Amino acid sequence: MVEWIRSEGLTDYDEAVAFMEARAEAIAAGTAQEAIWLVEHPPLYTAGTSAKTEDLLEPDKFPVYPSKRGGQYTYHGPGQRVVYVMLNVGERGRDVRCFVRDMEQWVIAALAEFNVHGEIRPGRVGVWVQRPDKPALPDGSVAEDKIAAIGIRLKRWVSFHGISINVEPDLSHFGGIVPCGISNFGVTSLVDLGLPVTMDDVDVALRATFDRVVSPRCPT
């Protein structure tokens, strides 16, 4: 059984990391069940293990937190659903690639609940949507924007950190960083796409699709 936790209001980032690390340790020790934690944070930037200094464009815009998750700089803030996944990957096949793929497919399935077609792109972390309403890219291809980010860390084969989905954040806040080190694509949200979607709606979609998409055990 996976425990679902939802925190109201804005959750302090350091407190969130402390909770995740303690819960992951307890899961690994067999003293706590797996958990999905749904939060929002105040405006902040996180620097993953691959973050480059030059990608922090406005270092004084918001607090910057070093993070042990994979990836580069990301933004968290009000209107963005952050989904922290504390799951026992050791009991789910010990296949990290499979687990990350499940996380991607979970986001895509949740977006599909709102008739949004999310896609994965080789070499670009996260989930993307095509934007035919925007000018084409220099090579003539359809413009694309990022709608969700994924960054996972494992400790003793238990995951923490996780996913962020843009529901209705202030998209200008992403301007202080090069999100995930990718500068030639934009960022969007469900509301930016013209959908009157609430955080509650997204939470329902995430819960409805989790068991259908996330494998209890990935094939080895």
Side-chain angles (χ1 to χ4, degrees):
M1 294 290 293
V2 176
E3 180 183 8
W4 286 76
I5 308 166
R6 172 174 165 157
S7 292
E8 300 295 339
L10 301 179
T11 300
D12 177 81
Y13 186 75
D14 283 335
E15 291 179 8
V17 172
F19 176 89
M20 283 190 289
E21 290 183 342
R23 184 62 174 256
E25 286 283 356
I27 293 169
T31 58
Q33 66 191 104
E34 296 178 307
I36 303 291
W37 187 20
L38 307 173
V39 307
E40 285 180 85
H41 287 302
L44 59 91
Y45 298 130
T46 66
T49 55
S50 302
K52 301 174 182 177
T53 303
E54 60 268 26
D55 287 344
L56 181 59
L57 304 178
E58 298 182 50
D60 299 322
K61 190 176 182 72
F62 297 122
V64 180
Y65 293 86
S67 174
K68 296 177 182 178
R69 61 159 176 81
Q72 302 187 42
Y73 281 104
T74 60
Y75 166 76
H76 295 317
Q80 182 190 72
R81 173 52 83 213
V82 177
V83 186
Y84 287 132
V85 292
M86 290 151 279
L87 300 175
N88 194 330
V89 182
E91 293 184 352
R92 292 168 179 265
R94 295 199 173 205
D95 188 328
V96 178
R97 289 184 180 180
C98 176
F99 181 73
V100 172
R101 185 171 65 246
D102 273 0
M103 295 297 101
E104 293 170 341
Q105 293 304 315
W106 182 26
V107 173
I108 289 170
L111 294 174
E113 296 287 294
F114 309 107
N115 296 314
V116 173
H117 182 61
E119 299 180 86
I120 303 303
R121 292 289 181 258
R124 283 193 257 143
V125 179
V127 178
W128 301 78
V129 292
Q130 292 193 337
R131 299 299 304 269
D133 54 312
K134 290 188 171 184
L137 298 175
D139 63 1
S141 59
V142 176
E144 295 184 343
D145 285 341
K146 189 173 188 176
I147 195 167
I150 298 172
I152 300 292
R153 178 172 171 80
L154 295 181
K155 187 174 183 180
R156 296 177 62 191
W157 285 105
V158 176
S159 69
F160 54 111
H161 295 286
I163 297 162
S164 59
I165 301 174
N166 297 331
V167 182
E168 192 179 7
D170 184 337
L171 296 179
S172 71
H173 289 180
F174 287 87
I177 57 172
V178 178
C180 298
I182 300 171
S183 60
N184 53 338
F185 294 91
V187 180
T188 191
S189 68
L190 289 165
V191 171
D192 183 53
L193 293 174
L195 300 169
V197 177
T198 67
M199 200 70 72
D200 288 344
D201 295 331
V202 171
D203 292 348
V204 169
L206 286 166
R207 191 147 191 178
T209 55
F210 179 81
D211 288 333
R212 187 170 79 231
V213 177
V214 179
S215 304
R217 181 177 177 89
C218 288
T220 55

